[in-house]
Amino acid sequence: MKKRPGFLTAVFLCCCLQNFCQEYGSYGSISNEEKQLKVCPFDKDADAVILVDEATSNYNEEHNLITQRHIRIKILREKGIDVANISIPFYSKDKFEFISDLEGIVYNDNGSGFYSSQELDRKSVFTKKTNDLYSEYKFAFPSVKVGSIIEYRYQSTMKHYGGLQDWYFQKELPVLLSKYKLYILPNTEFAYRIYKRTDLPITVKPDNREGSLYLEMQNIAGLRDEPYMDARDEYLQRITFQLSAYNNGFGTNKYMSSWEEVARELRNESSFGSQLEKSIPGTEDFLARVKIISAPLEKMKAVYNYVRGNISWNGYYTKFTNDGIRSAWAKKTGTSGEINLLLINLLKASGLDANPLLVCERSHGKVHLDYPFVDQFNSVFAAVKIDTNRYFLDATDKFTPAQTTPFDILNTTAFFISRKKNEMLNITDDAFHNSDHTNINILVNKDGNASGSAYVNSSGYAKITKLQEYSDNKLRFIEKQFKNMVTGISVADVEISNETTDSLPLEQKCNFSFPLPASGEYKFVPLNMLPGMNSNPFVGDNRFTNINFGYPQSFDLNTHVVVPDNYTVDAIPASIKLMNQDGSIVFTRKVFYDKEKMELACMLSMEIKKSLYLANEYDGLKDFYKKMFGYLNEQLVLKKK
């Protein structure tokens, strides 16, 4: 059992951390505590630590939003050196935002405890255009090593407060001190919401006299990626803002103060609802053809595939359009908002019941219904009703069929907007699974090596995921799918079929050979060559986020092994059945051995019936996976005669 620190030790540590935060120097001045820090006290595995992250947002006479930002980081381990490569993104379209007054310093210990400083060379800073919307300032600090302290500051100027961003206290790296001060624009009111764990204190100081809000948090452990992480941003300690009221000189107008008000504002918004009534030049002939399709489902598929095939996504999520859907269609590229508002427009024009669906994709966070913050949603999809069925379409997705709910919104809450009825929808699709069926034939040669063939049949979400991976990088897909099955495997004659036929599973075939692991006169034949199941994802001691598989899953592996006559079978894994506590995960292994034919058949299956597990269920899940992988690692043992 681990010993807990004594009360005095804990109090002393808290006092030290508090004094440490209070003694942060201003830009260009580092404290002795910062110099002496070797490990983050509350996140001992961290490769680097953010000593201070602070900003102040104010306005000038033209009501521009001006933010002064200052960040200081210490490198604790070799792996942390990469954080000295800095990127500052900004919204450069129409010169909405620009960065100025950029400065940087790196501090290094010369070996005697004395820290020297070196200022960032402005010539090493360059601007890179990311796409039509964003650019970024990029630079790397020189002479960075373990123990280095880097800091930089800059000013962001935006045209107006519409660019006001949420403030994140927590990062992937631990943060010792995070503070933010916002000055509210005259004649406006901003609502804010704080998302944080109850055990983490926060300082909130509104000042009505000067029209400001000050926030501060200290000693926040880093949130690093966890397998099957459920909405990473949801677990970050943060504050979100939204305009709630403004005075136009004739009185105060409330803005998006209820979900009905949100829907009404969006329906009348020129960059949202108004786009659904516009005609799209160049689509007349297509609409004429599609209107005569009698089956609504086939009509929906035709429009969906038409939009997907004629416009490309630029990689940015938006709920609105920048220059309108006509402009995006003419350029054949657009944001997620532009493409999907265009999709809704054409679906409606073809005679279908289509409306906007504000979505919060799983990676973006969760929707909290108690306050109408539209920024909780990061994109818009099309919602189509045919008879009693609802279909959710994202035309930026090139691989998900029209009748399948996109993976990114499974187990999320979405806001359906129409003139008839607005409502919150819980997005689930338990009818559509992730299924992989694998057949492996292994022939053990007389020399003790193995050769054979593999056949994988993937349907449902498994097919969608693999199609995207295959499209992105064919060689990497083959590496992941086949070359990771066993150590030292050589793969040949790879075939992929049914890529473009939605109704058929994705078939993957190959031939292989590999040396069998050996120990003396014994050879070991692996019976787990299931793609994606060669390592246990749940080995960490702690879990901070929910485990979101997204959908029910099933895996089957049938392995047939032929043993040569110069070997005998020394040990065969037993047939077993394993279930977790609530029976939502079932693993079975059935083994049959024909002694006369010297042939073995092993059937492995795993079924995950539940798609979401809470963080407090992690210990049980971890225990189940540990036992299951113990069984999966058992091998057929052969002994040479």
Side-chain angles (χ1 to χ4, degrees):
M1 180 181 294
K2 293 182 179 179
K3 295 183 178 179
R4 295 181 178 180
F7 177 74
L8 291 176
T9 304
V11 172
F12 175 74
L13 177 60
C14 292
C15 291
C16 287
L17 291 174
Q18 185 175 12
N19 291 336
F20 187 52
C21 291
Q22 291 173 347
E23 291 183 17
Y24 285 134
S26 58
Y27 179 82
S29 175
I30 58 175
S31 68
N32 288 329
E33 287 78 7
E34 291 171 317
K35 295 176 183 177
Q36 295 167 7
L37 184 68
K38 304 293 184 185
V39 65
C40 180
F42 51 88
D43 193 345
K44 298 185 184 301
D45 294 329
D47 298 321
V49 58
I50 299 174
L51 301 172
V52 61
D53 184 5
E54 59 182 344
T56 300
S57 294
N58 208 334
Y59 57 88
N60 58 14
E61 293 181 355
E62 288 76 31
H63 288 180
N64 300 135
L65 174 62
I66 301 174
T67 301
Q68 307 282 348
R69 187 79 179 266
H70 171 217
I71 297 174
R72 180 180 294 161
I73 305 172
K74 182 158 189 181
I75 312 299
L76 302 176
R77 298 180 181 178
E78 195 76 26
K79 290 182 180 179
I81 291 177
D82 282 346
V83 303
N85 298 316
I86 309 297
S87 172
I88 305 173
F90 63 100
Y91 194 92
S92 54
K93 181 177 174 60
D94 298 328
K95 299 182 179 179
F96 178 80
E97 179 185 9
F98 64 89
I99 305 296
S100 61
D101 301 335
L102 176 63
E103 298 179 86
I105 305 175
V106 57
Y107 306 89
N108 278 313
D109 187 350
N110 64 5
S112 61
F114 174 77
Y115 270 72
S116 60
S117 63
Q118 181 181 352
E119 293 191 1
L120 180 69
D121 185 356
R122 286 286 303 168
K123 295 179 181 178
S124 67
V125 181
F126 64 95
T127 307
K128 178 183 177 183
K129 185 176 177 63
T130 308
N131 53 38
D132 291 340
L133 304 179
Y134 285 89
S135 298
E136 58 182 334
Y137 269 87
K138 296 178 72 71
F139 57 92
F141 282 94
S143 308
V144 176
K145 57 185 180 181
V146 175
S148 294
I149 296 174
I150 61 173
E151 71 172 339
Y152 59 99
R153 64 180 179 182
Y154 62 91
Q155 176 175 292
S156 160
T157 302
M158 297 183 177
K159 286 185 177 180
H160 52 72
Y161 266 60
L164 181 63
Q165 298 177 346
D166 301 335
W167 181 259
Y168 284 82
F169 300 98
Q170 191 174 29
K171 312 282 185 181
E172 186 173 347
L173 296 176
V175 181
L176 288 177
L177 174 64
S178 177
K179 53 184 181 178
Y180 181 60
K181 187 169 187 179
L182 171 66
Y183 287 87
I184 308 300
L185 198 65
N187 301 319
T188 63
E189 295 177 15
F190 279 84
Y192 64 89
R193 180 182 178 91
I194 297 171
Y195 299 86
K196 73 170 197 70
R197 278 175 23 186
T198 55
D199 60 328
L200 293 176
I202 186 172
T203 299
V204 181
K205 293 182 180 178
D207 189 327
N208 294 328
R209 180 182 56 82
E210 67 173 10
S212 68
L213 175 68
Y214 175 80
L215 304 119
E216 180 181 312
M217 290 186 75
Q218 298 181 13
N219 308 325
I220 313 162
L223 180 61
R224 290 174 276 281
D225 287 341
E226 297 178 322
Y228 300 101
M229 180 180 284
D230 172 30
R232 184 180 189 278
D233 282 5
E234 173 65 21
Y235 299 90
L236 293 174
Q237 320 307 301
R238 66 199 188 279
I239 181 168
T240 60
F241 301 96
Q242 179 171 290
L243 177 67
S244 59
Y246 59 93
N247 191 313
N248 60 6
F250 300 97
T252 300
N253 295 311
K254 295 294 183 182
Y255 181 76
M256 295 190 180
S257 56
S258 68
W259 287 115
E260 286 300 317
E261 179 65 25
V262 169
R264 184 164 56 250
E265 291 281 350
L266 290 174
R267 285 197 301 268
N268 297 325
E269 171 63 47
S270 61
S271 61
F272 190 87
S274 298
Q275 298 294 318
L276 306 182
E277 311 301 328
K278 296 180 180 293
S279 60
I280 311 300
T283 63
E284 296 85 358
D285 290 344
F286 168 75
L287 288 174
R289 294 194 305 271
V290 81
K291 284 179 180 179
I292 63 176
I293 299 175
S294 58
L297 185 61
E298 295 306 311
K299 182 180 293 189
M300 180 185 74
K301 291 179 181 179
V303 177
Y304 177 57
N305 291 328
Y306 176 70
V307 174
R308 290 200 300 175
N310 286 280
I311 190 169
S312 299
W313 181 40
N314 62 14
Y316 277 86
Y317 297 96
T318 64
K319 300 178 286 292
F320 307 98
T321 68
N322 294 301
D323 300 318
I325 59 176
R326 287 177 175 174
S327 175
W329 182 250
K331 293 185 294 185
K332 301 302 180 187
T333 183
T335 66
S336 64
E338 290 167 339
I339 292 174
N340 285 326
L341 289 173
L342 171 68
L343 172 64
I344 299 166
N345 180 302
L346 294 179
L347 288 165
K348 290 169 68 70
S350 71
L352 290 168
D353 182 4
N355 289 282
L357 183 77
L358 288 184
V359 300
C360 177
E361 293 181 301
R362 294 170 58 216
S363 60
H364 183 68
K366 292 183 180 179
V367 175
H368 297 264
L369 304 181
D370 54 343
Y371 197 85
F373 271 55
V374 72
D375 282 346
Q376 294 183 92
F377 304 97
N378 71 318
S379 191
V380 59
F381 284 12
V384 182
K385 189 173 183 182
I386 298 176
D387 298 327
T388 58
N389 297 319
R390 267 194 174 129
Y391 300 93
F392 308 116
L393 309 178
D394 173 20
T396 70
D397 185 339
K398 302 295 186 183
F399 303 99
T400 301
Q403 64 272 27
T404 304
T405 302
F407 167 72
D408 286 338
I409 62 169
L410 285 175
N411 298 326
T412 69
T413 301
F415 186 33
F416 176 77
I417 300 173
S418 77
R419 296 195 179 276
K420 295 179 182 179
K421 182 182 181 181
N422 308 303
E423 58 181 318
M424 291 291 178
L425 302 178
N426 292 319
I427 309 297
T428 58
D429 191 348
D430 291 335
F432 206 68
H433 290 207
N434 180 100
S435 300
D436 258 326
H437 303 280
T438 305
N439 290 323
I440 301 288
N441 292 303
I442 299 176
L443 174 64
V444 179
N445 304 315
K446 290 182 179 293
D447 60 3
N449 293 317
S451 60
S453 63
Y455 169 82
V456 185
N457 177 310
S458 303
S459 58
Y461 287 106
K463 177 178 180 178
I464 296 169
T465 301
K466 290 183 177 182
L467 273 177
Q468 183 157 7
E469 292 175 349
Y470 184 67
S471 175
D472 289 344
N473 191 314
K474 292 179 173 57
L475 291 178
R476 190 182 302 155
F477 172 80
I478 293 171
E479 183 86 24
K480 177 181 177 181
Q481 185 70 13
F482 296 119
K483 293 189 177 181
N484 288 333
M485 291 192 297
V486 293
T487 302
I489 193 170
S490 296
V491 176
D493 306 321
V494 176
E495 295 181 20
I496 309 293
S497 54
N498 298 336
E499 301 104 303
T500 58
T501 308
D502 290 344
S503 59
L504 296 177
L506 184 71
E507 295 183 348
Q508 309 123 77
K509 303 176 184 178
C510 78
N511 294 319
F512 60 77
S513 61
F514 61 92
L516 291 176
S519 176
E521 55 190 3
Y522 293 95
K523 293 283 186 177
F524 304 93
V525 182
L527 298 178
N528 172 28
M529 295 177 67
L530 195 63
M533 290 291 287
N534 52 351
S535 63
N536 184 356
F538 304 119
V539 295
D541 292 333
N542 300 301
R543 180 83 186 195
F544 298 98
T545 63
N546 294 338
I547 300 95
N548 193 341
F549 291 112
Y551 35 65
Q553 302 183 39
S554 62
F555 305 93
D556 295 305
L557 170 62
N558 297 320
T559 303
H560 179 249
V561 183
V562 178
V563 181
D565 56 13
N566 59 329
Y567 280 88
T568 59
V569 174
D570 189 74
I572 301 174
S575 297
I576 55 97
K577 183 175 183 178
L578 182 68
M579 298 175 63
N580 69 334
Q581 189 171 7
D582 65 1
S584 61
I585 307 180
V586 181
F587 171 75
T588 61
R589 179 176 65 197
K590 297 179 180 179
V591 182
F592 306 93
Y593 177 57
D594 187 326
K595 189 174 182 180
E596 291 184 4
K597 294 183 178 180
M598 296 283 283
E599 295 181 9
L600 177 137
C602 176
M603 294 180 286
L604 300 176
S605 70
M606 178 187 181
E607 185 178 11
I608 304 175
K609 303 175 185 178
K610 195 167 75 171
S611 59
L612 181 67
Y613 294 82
L614 301 181
N616 59 16
E617 299 178 271
Y618 175 68
D619 287 343
L621 195 67
K622 177 186 173 184
D623 181 61
F624 175 86
Y625 266 73
K626 182 179 179 180
K627 292 177 181 176
M628 182 180 70
F629 272 89
Y631 290 125
L632 286 172
N633 291 332
E634 292 179 349
Q635 302 176 90
L636 172 65
V637 182
L638 305 180
K639 183 179 180 181
K640 195 168 185 178
K641 291 182 180 178

